[in-house]
Amino acid sequence: MDGLSIAKNRTCTHVDPTNPKANGQQNQIYVQLVLSLALGLSAFFGFCFLRPRWKSLYAARKRQSESAASLPELPDTFFGWMPVLYKVTEQQVLDSAGLDAYVFLAFFKMSMKLFGVMFLVTCAILAPINYKFDYLPTPGDSTDPRNPPELFSNNPLWGSWSVAADTVVLASDGKTELPKTDYLWAYLVFTYFFTGLAIYFMTSETQRIIKVRQEYLGSQSTITDRTIKLSAIPPELRSKEKIKDFLEKLQIGKVESVTICCNWKGLDDMMDKRAHLVRKIEEAWTVHLGRSKTAALEPVQARRSGILDEDEQHESQENNTLLGRAHVTAYEKPRPTTRIWYGFLHLQNRKVDAIDYYEEQLRKLDEKISMARKKEYTPTSLAFVTMDSIPACQMAVQALLDPSPLQLLARLAPAPSDVVWSNTYLPRSSRMIRAWTITLFIIVLTIFWLIPVAGLAGLLDLCSIEQVWPGLANLLSRHEILKALVQTGLPTLVVSLLNIAVPFLYDYLANMQGMISQGDVELSVISKNFFFTFFNVFLVFTAFGTASKFWGELQDSLKDTTRLAYNLARAVKGLAVFYINFILLQGVGLLPFRLLEFGSVSLYPILRMGAKTPRDYAELVQPPIFKYGFYLPSAILIYILCIVYSILPAGYMVLFFGLIYFVFGYYTYKYQLLYAMDHPQHATGKAWPMVCYRILVGLGVFQLVMAGVIALSNAFVPAGLVVPLIPFTLWYSYYFGRTYEPLMNFIALRSIRRESDASINIAGETVGLDMTGARIRRRQSTVDEEREKFSKFINPTLTVPLEKPWINAESTFNGDAPQTDLEHEESTASSLSLGDTHIWRDNGDANV
C-alpha cells in the first residue's frame, strides 16, 4: 500500500504540534540545539574572521566617532577582542556611548544576576521537587493515570504504584502515602519568593540608574539641559518678547533665547527638492567624467566645519560655477542628457544637457531658498525657550505655569539634533489625529496578526498537513527528527523572523505619528513592538493554541474569565519545549548574526554595485544605526518567559538558556554600541521606566499562571493564596510611578553642580579628579556635551549652508567588485563625508 493510502486510512488525532506530550517527542531540544549551534557558530566564526578585515563596518563607530576614540583598541587576532571588550568598564560605556547605552546594557546585566540566582535556587530546590512529585496528570490531560510514567515504572525504588483521589500510594512497603498536592505549597512559597526577588533586583537597579543619571546629567551643561519645550501657547503670546517677559515675571530665572516654531513647510519642501537636485547633478557628473576622473569642488576644511564665511562661500560658489560649466573632458565622450517635458499639459518633450539643466534648476532654487529664508512665517503654538541656568529650566518643567488647563505646558526639550522640525509646525489637532489613527491601525493590525500567529500551529499540525499534503504527513510520522524540525524548529524560526521583520513596520508607523523628537519615536517603537511580541507571540499563541480551536477558546474565555487562567496555565506547561527552543534559537542561533550584522553584510554588495557618486560611497561607510526599539522588546519577552517558567518542571532549562541569552546579548550589544554602531537619539535613559512596567506586567502573568497551575491540581487553598500577589504588583507599579519615575524624567535641583564643583563618581569608579593644591578640576566632557557643542534650537533649513555637489572620486571608486579590506575606500570617502554628510543627515532628520 502506498503512502497516500496509508495516510488516508490512518486515524488522525488532532494535537498541538508544540506540545511535546501530545506528540511524544523527546528529541526536539536536541534537534534545536544542533540547529542553533550550527547557525550561531558559523555566524560567530564569520564575525571573528571578517572583523579585522572589514573595519569600515565592524569598527565604524570607533573610527569615526570622537566619543569612541578613548576606547581601547581591539586586537586583530581571532579571539583577542573578547577579553578587551570584557574589561571595558561601565564608566567607559558612559563616557563613550552615553546614558541610553548604559541603561540598555544595565537591563541585560540585571537579568544575568537575577536569573543566575534563580537558576541556582531552581536546581537546588525546585528541580528535585518537580522530579519527584510533578508527574501526575492535570485535568484535561489525555495521559491515562493508570499508566505510570516511564521514570517511575522503571525505577525499582518506587515499586508499584496507584492513584487515589487525593494521594499517591507507593506500594514498595505497602504503607507509604504522599499527599498528592503537598508539593504545591512549595510552588506558592517560591511564587512569593521569585516575585520579591525580581522586584528587589529591579528596584536596586532602578536606584543605581537614578543615581548614575542624576550625577551624570547634574554634572554636565548642555543647551538641552537649559531648554524647555513650551506648547499650547495662546495667540496673544506668540512672540519672542512676550514669551520672554512672561517667563521672567515668574521669577524662576532669566531667558537666554526663544525660538518660536513657525510654518516652514514651504521652505522644508524646497530643501528636500534641492537635496534631490544635488544628487541628480552628482550622478550626471559621475556619468560624464567617470568615477576616477572627477575633481574636488569644495575645500575639505569647509566640509569639516560645515560653515563658510561670506568670502569663502563666494569663492566656493565661483569655483563651483566655473568648474561646473567647464566642458573639461575628452571630446569623444558625450555629456549626459535628460528628457524634459513642456508645453500644454506637458505633452511635448526634448532632450537637453543634464548637467546644465540640473545646475540651472539648482541655481534658481537656491535663489528661491535665499529669499524664503528672509521671509516672516506664521508662528505656531510651540516654542523652545533656553534659560540661563539648568535650575531655572528644571523649575519651569516641574511647575504649573498657567492656571488655565491645557495652556502653556512646559516640558523638557529634546536635543537640537533630535528634533523633527517638520512636525513642530503641525497643529496639535493634526498630531492627535495622526496618533489616534495610527493607534487604531495598530489595533486592527493586531487582530490581523492573529491569523498568521494562531494559524501557525494549526498549519503545522500533522492532521492539518495531511489534509493538504498527505504524503508529507506520512513522511513526518515515520521520521522523528524531520518531524521535530518541521513542528518545533519551523515554528520557532517563523516566530523569530516575525520579531525581526515586524519592528520595521512599527518603526515606520511611529515616525508617521507626528512626534516632535526621534527619542520619543524610539520609545514609541519599544512600546509598539513589545505589545506585538507579548500579545501576539505569547498570549495568543499560548492561551489559544492552534487555529482550529482559537475561536472556540476565545469565546469560552470571554464567557468565563477563570477559564483563561486555566487555559493559560495548561498551555504554558504544554508549550515548555517550544519556548525553550525559542530562547535557544534567539540566544545561541540568532544573536551571533546580530554581531555579524548580517543585514549590512548581505546588503553591502548590492549597495556597492548601485553606488555611483562620492556621496553614495561616503554613506556606505557610515556606522549603522542602533535602534533600541528593535532589540529591547524581544529581550523583555524572554525575561518574562524565564519568570513564568521558573517554578515549573521545565524551569531549570528555561532559566539556563535564558541566562545564556542575556550573557551573549550583553556582550553582543556592548560591542555594537561601543565599536560598530551609532545611536544618534537622545533619550537620557528614559527607556528604563518602560522596561520596569513591562517587567511588572510579566510578574502579573507569572502569578496568574501559577494560580492556574496550582488550581489545575485541585489545590485551591494555595492557589487562592497566590491571588493577593496580583493586586500587590498593581500597587507596586503605582508606587514605582510616584517614587522613581519622576527622577527618571527630571534632574533634582540638589544634583545640579556648578562648573567649579568637584567631579564625582558616576559608575562606581573614581573619575575626573585632578588634585593640584586646593584646585579640583571638573571631569571631562560627556557625550552629550560633545555632541551639542555649538548647537542651537533652530530649524536647519533656515541656516544650514547650501552645500554644493560632491564631485570628488579617486581611483578607489572604479566600480570594481566589493573588496574585503575597505580601508583605502573608507579614508577617501570619510574625508568627503566629514562635513557634507553631516549637513545632509541634518536635512534628512529635519524632514523625516
Side-chain angles (χ1 to χ4, degrees):
M1 186 179 293
D2 59 10
L4 181 61
S5 301
I6 294 174
K8 288 182 177 179
N9 296 331
R10 186 175 62 241
T11 301
C12 182
T13 303
H14 286 273
V15 293
D16 188 342
T18 57
N19 188 333
K21 292 184 179 180
N23 290 301
Q25 297 176 350
Q26 304 296 325
N27 56 358
Q28 297 179 30
I29 297 177
Y30 299 108
V31 172
Q32 187 68 58
L33 179 62
V34 172
L35 178 64
S36 299
L37 285 174
L39 291 173
L41 288 177
S42 61
F44 178 74
F45 289 143
F47 167 77
C48 292
F49 176 79
L50 292 175
R51 185 189 62 83
R53 295 168 173 80
W54 205 345
K55 293 185 178 180
S56 61
L57 176 64
Y58 295 116
R61 185 175 183 274
K62 169 68 174 173
R63 296 163 71 88
Q64 298 189 32
S65 175
E66 293 182 4
S67 58
S70 60
L71 290 171
E73 292 288 343
L74 298 180
D76 289 341
T77 56
F78 204 75
F79 296 118
W81 60 276
M82 298 173 67
V84 178
L85 179 67
Y86 173 81
K87 293 177 182 178
V88 174
T89 64
E90 291 183 342
Q91 182 61 48
Q92 290 175 304
V93 172
L94 269 176
D95 291 340
S96 62
L99 273 172
D100 290 326
Y102 177 86
V103 167
F104 180 80
L105 294 177
F107 170 66
F108 282 81
K109 201 166 186 179
M110 178 199 70
S111 302
M112 290 161 53
K113 296 176 183 178
L114 172 63
F115 296 131
V117 174
M118 292 175 66
F119 174 70
L120 294 177
V121 172
T122 299
C123 289
I125 302 175
L126 284 171
I129 292 176
N130 287 322
Y131 180 81
K132 288 188 176 181
F133 295 103
D134 190 64
Y135 57 85
L136 293 176
T138 57
D141 197 335
S142 61
T143 305
D144 189 348
R146 294 169 298 178
N147 297 326
E150 183 180 355
L151 171 66
F152 302 112
S153 61
N154 296 333
N155 191 338
L157 296 178
W158 289 89
S160 62
W161 67 292
S162 62
V163 179
D166 298 314
T167 61
V168 179
V169 180
L170 301 178
S172 57
D173 55 5
K175 298 180 180 179
T176 305
E177 292 186 2
L178 293 177
K180 179 180 177 182
T181 59
D182 274 5
Y183 76 99
L184 295 174
W185 288 94
Y187 281 20
L188 171 65
V189 171
F190 279 97
T191 301
Y192 274 81
F193 177 68
F194 284 164
T195 298
L197 198 65
I199 290 178
Y200 168 77
F201 273 95
M202 185 187 76
T203 305
S204 299
E205 194 66 29
T206 299
Q207 293 173 345
R208 193 169 73 95
I209 288 175
I210 285 175
K211 181 180 178 181
V212 170
R213 185 179 185 275
Q214 292 290 317
E215 292 177 345
Y216 181 92
L217 296 178
S219 64
Q220 71 177 14
S221 179
T222 67
I223 188 173
T224 303
D225 298 324
R226 296 184 289 110
T227 303
I228 64 175
K229 182 186 71 174
L230 193 64
S231 59
I233 303 173
E236 63 270 14
L237 289 180
R238 293 178 186 176
S239 69
K240 296 181 179 180
E241 295 76 14
K242 291 180 180 179
I243 292 175
K244 182 178 180 180
D245 292 340
F246 165 75
L247 288 173
E248 290 184 346
K249 284 180 180 179
L250 299 178
Q251 297 182 358
I252 58 177
K254 297 293 184 181
V255 175
E256 188 176 284
S257 65
V258 178
T259 299
I260 300 179
C261 297
C262 300
N263 190 356
W264 295 302
K265 186 178 187 326
L267 181 59
D268 287 343
D269 291 343
M270 284 191 286
M271 291 296 291
D272 289 340
K273 183 179 180 181
R274 188 183 191 281
H276 177 72
L277 275 176
V278 167
R279 285 185 175 271
K280 285 290 187 180
I281 295 175
E282 292 169 351
E283 292 175 3
W285 271 107
T286 302
V287 171
H288 178 47
L289 299 179
R291 298 188 182 185
S292 60
K293 296 181 180 179
T294 44
L297 293 183
E298 189 172 341
V300 174
Q301 290 183 352
R303 282 193 292 268
R304 286 178 177 170
S305 64
I307 300 174
L308 297 173
D309 57 32
E310 293 184 3
D311 294 337
E312 291 176 335
Q313 196 167 9
H314 180 69
E315 181 181 354
S316 175
Q317 290 175 354
E318 287 184 352
N319 292 336
N320 282 314
T321 303
L322 291 174
L323 291 174
R325 296 291 182 183
H327 294 238
V328 184
T329 184
Y331 288 103
E332 64 272 11
K333 187 168 185 177
R335 287 168 66 90
T337 60
T338 186
R339 186 178 299 274
I340 62 172
W341 297 82
Y342 62 96
F344 180 71
L345 297 179
H346 293 274
L347 296 178
Q348 296 177 283
N349 70 87
R350 61 187 175 90
K351 287 186 177 182
V352 297
D353 185 284
I355 296 176
D356 290 342
Y357 174 75
Y358 289 130
E359 284 191 347
E360 180 63 18
Q361 294 295 313
L362 182 64
R363 184 189 64 80
K364 293 179 179 179
L365 187 59
D366 285 350
E367 292 178 355
K368 292 182 180 179
I369 292 174
S370 299
M371 295 296 295
R373 286 180 170 181
K374 300 175 182 179
K375 291 181 180 179
E376 295 289 335
Y377 293 91
T378 304
T380 66
S381 62
L382 181 68
F384 294 101
V385 183
T386 302
M387 309 298 290
D388 64 337
S389 66
I390 298 177
C393 174
Q394 290 297 317
M395 286 188 285
V397 298
Q398 298 181 44
L400 295 174
L401 302 184
D402 193 85
S404 302
L406 299 178
Q407 184 169 295
L408 293 172
L409 305 176
R411 300 290 186 268
L412 289 172
S417 61
D418 214 26
V419 177
V420 184
W421 290 97
S422 60
N423 291 336
T424 59
Y425 47 77
L426 281 177
R428 187 171 182 270
S429 58
S430 298
R431 290 200 298 269
M432 292 183 63
I433 291 173
R434 284 192 182 192
W436 281 107
T437 302
I438 296 297
T439 301
L440 292 175
F441 180 75
I442 288 177
I443 293 174
V444 174
L445 197 61
T446 300
I447 298 174
F448 168 78
W449 288 125
L450 297 179
I451 300 173
V453 172
L456 178 62
L459 290 175
L460 295 176
D461 181 14
L462 273 182
C463 296
S464 301
I465 296 175
E466 184 177 353
Q467 295 175 2
V468 179
W469 195 346
L472 178 61
N474 182 52
L475 178 65
L476 296 178
S477 64
R478 291 184 287 107
H479 296 83
E480 291 296 327
I481 294 180
L482 183 60
K483 184 179 178 182
L485 282 173
V486 172
Q487 293 189 309
T488 302
L490 190 57
T492 55
L493 181 61
V494 172
V495 170
S496 299
L497 292 178
L498 277 176
N499 283 337
I500 295 174
V502 169
F504 288 95
L505 172 62
Y506 284 157
D507 180 66
Y508 170 78
L509 293 176
N511 278 282
M512 295 297 293
Q513 279 189 275
M515 297 181 182
I516 300 299
S517 72
Q518 287 294 336
D520 291 338
V521 171
E522 187 169 52
L523 295 178
S524 177
V525 174
I526 294 175
S527 179
K528 289 176 173 60
N529 286 333
F530 174 78
F531 178 74
F532 166 76
T533 58
F534 179 73
F535 181 78
N536 291 96
V537 175
F538 178 68
L539 287 183
V540 173
F541 197 86
T542 302
F544 305 113
T546 62
S548 60
K549 61 180 182 180
F550 171 75
W551 294 112
E553 294 288 356
L554 179 60
Q555 292 173 359
D556 293 339
S557 299
L558 293 176
K559 295 176 183 177
D560 183 6
T561 54
T562 58
R563 185 178 178 88
L564 177 61
Y566 282 112
N567 289 339
L568 188 60
R570 187 184 297 112
V572 162
K573 295 187 71 175
L575 290 172
V577 172
F578 172 77
Y579 284 120
I580 289 173
N581 291 336
F582 174 75
I583 298 173
L584 181 59
L585 180 63
Q586 288 283 323
V588 179
L590 298 183
L591 270 178
F593 278 92
R594 296 197 187 278
L595 192 64
L596 181 64
E597 296 184 45
F598 181 76
S600 299
V601 173
S602 58
L603 287 176
Y604 180 81
I606 300 174
L607 297 176
R608 173 68 189 268
M609 287 187 292
K612 300 176 181 178
T613 67
R615 189 184 303 272
D616 294 336
Y617 284 98
E619 291 172 359
L620 282 178
V621 296
Q622 294 299 308
I625 302 300
F626 189 95
K627 296 186 177 182
Y628 296 129
F630 283 42
Y631 311 125
L632 193 54
S634 296
I636 299 175
L637 176 63
I638 292 176
Y639 180 102
I640 293 175
L641 289 174
C642 292
I643 289 288
V644 168
Y645 279 97
S646 58
I647 297 178
L648 300 179
Y652 72 98
M653 297 189 68
V654 174
L655 289 172
F656 175 71
F657 290 120
L659 182 61
I660 290 177
Y661 170 83
F662 283 106
V663 171
F664 287 2
Y666 176 79
Y667 289 104
T668 295
Y669 296 130
K670 185 178 182 180
Y671 178 88
Q672 290 185 324
L673 285 167
L674 297 182
Y675 288 92
M677 305 180 77
D678 194 17
H679 179 251
Q681 280 73 27
H682 181 85
T684 64
K686 291 180 182 178
W688 182 254
M690 300 182 67
V691 171
C692 293
Y693 285 127
R694 281 145 186 80
I695 287 176
L696 293 173
V697 169
L699 288 177
V701 173
F702 165 61
Q703 295 150 9
L704 184 65
V705 167
M706 292 312 302
V709 167
I710 297 173
L712 282 173
S713 297
N714 296 324
F716 297 110
V717 175
L721 293 176
V722 173
V723 175
L725 275 176
I726 298 176
F728 169 78
T729 304
L730 292 174
W731 169 84
Y732 188 82
S733 65
Y734 170 79
Y735 170 80
F736 180 90
R738 292 291 300 271
T739 306
Y740 298 112
E741 190 171 3
L743 292 170
M744 291 299 301
N745 291 325
F746 307 113
I747 307 174
L749 299 181
R750 187 179 177 184
S751 299
I752 300 171
R753 288 168 172 79
R754 300 294 185 268
E755 192 75 16
S756 59
D757 289 349
S759 62
I760 49 179
N761 187 329
I762 291 185
E765 305 168 13
T766 303
V767 293
L769 294 178
D770 184 17
M771 302 294 295
T772 305
R775 187 180 66 181
I776 303 179
R777 180 176 56 84
R778 185 180 181 274
R779 66 171 179 80
Q780 62 182 358
S781 299
T782 65
V783 177
D784 301 329
E785 288 175 316
E786 291 294 334
R787 179 167 48 187
E788 296 180 28
K789 190 180 296 182
F790 309 121
S791 295
K792 293 182 179 180
F793 279 92
I794 188 168
N795 189 345
T797 59
L798 294 170
T799 59
V800 68
L802 299 179
E803 60 168 341
K804 296 303 176 182
W806 293 6
I807 306 176
N808 184 349
E810 298 181 1
S811 58
T812 308
F813 307 146
N814 52 17
D816 295 338
Q819 303 174 7
T820 304
D821 189 358
L822 304 176
E823 297 208 17
H824 181 59
E825 174 181 309
E826 179 190 357
S827 63
T828 308
S830 296
S831 67
L832 293 169
S833 65
L834 285 174
D836 285 347
T837 296
H838 176 69
I839 295 172
W840 175 82
R841 288 180 62 186
D842 282 350
N843 288 341
D845 290 343
N847 296 282
V848 174

